[in-house]
């Protein structure tokens, strides 16, 4: 499995303008991070560098509660935990792909409208 790209959610990414949201602020980004297989907590922190450990833990707990991810503990030394998408969690990828496509098509229009609105006060 490849490592997560630390810049996959760079602050300058225009997708941050996207008006569509799945779950809370972080859920869709976590789903994208887990798209290609299980990840450890620390791995998720790399591309999600502006999330706090507390918020990541709370979001993962909520996603586990909602059946979106499974949490597997490994009794190694030191012990570690991995998070993996369930079938329900993977189903969010369809919505995420649709919103990505919408952004590819409409983000320039959205940015222009926001710039006009800001200029008009």
């Amino acid at each position: 499995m490849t490592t997560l790209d630390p810049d996959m959610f760079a602050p300058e990414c225009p997708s941050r303008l996207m008006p569509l949201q799945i779950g809370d602020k972080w859920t869709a980004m976590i789903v994208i991070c887990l798209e290609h297989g299980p990840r450890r907590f620390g791995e998720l922190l790399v591309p999600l560098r502006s999330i706090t450990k507390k918020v990541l833990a709370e979001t993962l707990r909520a996603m586990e509660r909602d059946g979106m991810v499974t949490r597997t503990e490994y009794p190694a030394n030191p012990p570690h935990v991995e998070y993996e998408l369930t079938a329900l969690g993977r189903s969010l990828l369809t919505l995420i792909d649709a919103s990505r496509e919408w952004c590819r098509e409409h983000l320039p229009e959205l940015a222009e409208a926001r710039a006009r609105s800001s200029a008009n006060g």
Side-chain angles (χ1 to χ4, degrees):
M1 183 182 325
T2 61
T3 59
L4 292 173
D5 179 359
D7 293 323
M8 66 192 291
F9 302 114
E12 64 277 1
C13 178
S15 66
R16 293 189 181 269
L17 297 174
M18 185 170 50
L20 310 170
Q21 185 173 319
I22 296 169
D24 62 17
K25 177 180 178 179
W26 300 104
T27 299
M29 287 185 265
I30 291 170
V31 169
I32 292 167
C33 289
L34 296 174
E35 180 176 11
H36 299 293
R39 300 286 179 175
R40 293 171 73 163
F41 188 89
E43 287 180 277
L44 297 172
L45 287 171
V46 175
L48 301 172
R49 61 186 166 272
S50 60
I51 195 172
T52 65
K53 290 179 180 179
K54 178 184 178 207
V55 171
L56 178 56
E58 289 171 352
T59 305
L60 287 166
R61 270 194 299 277
M63 291 175 73
E64 183 181 14
R65 176 200 66 219
D66 293 342
M68 301 292 178
V69 298
T70 56
R71 179 181 186 273
T72 305
E73 293 183 41
Y74 294 94
N77 190 10
H80 72 273
V81 173
E82 288 184 346
Y83 297 90
E84 185 172 14
L85 290 175
T86 63
L88 184 62
R90 292 194 82 65
S91 72
L92 289 175
L93 290 166
T94 304
L95 296 172
I96 292 167
D97 289 342
S99 66
R100 284 174 164 170
E101 182 58 35
W102 185 92
C103 284
R104 278 190 283 279
E105 189 173 331
H106 298 289
L107 211 51
E109 296 169 64
L110 178 69
E112 283 178 31
R114 288 188 180 178
R116 279 193 309 274
S117 179
S118 293
N120 293 332

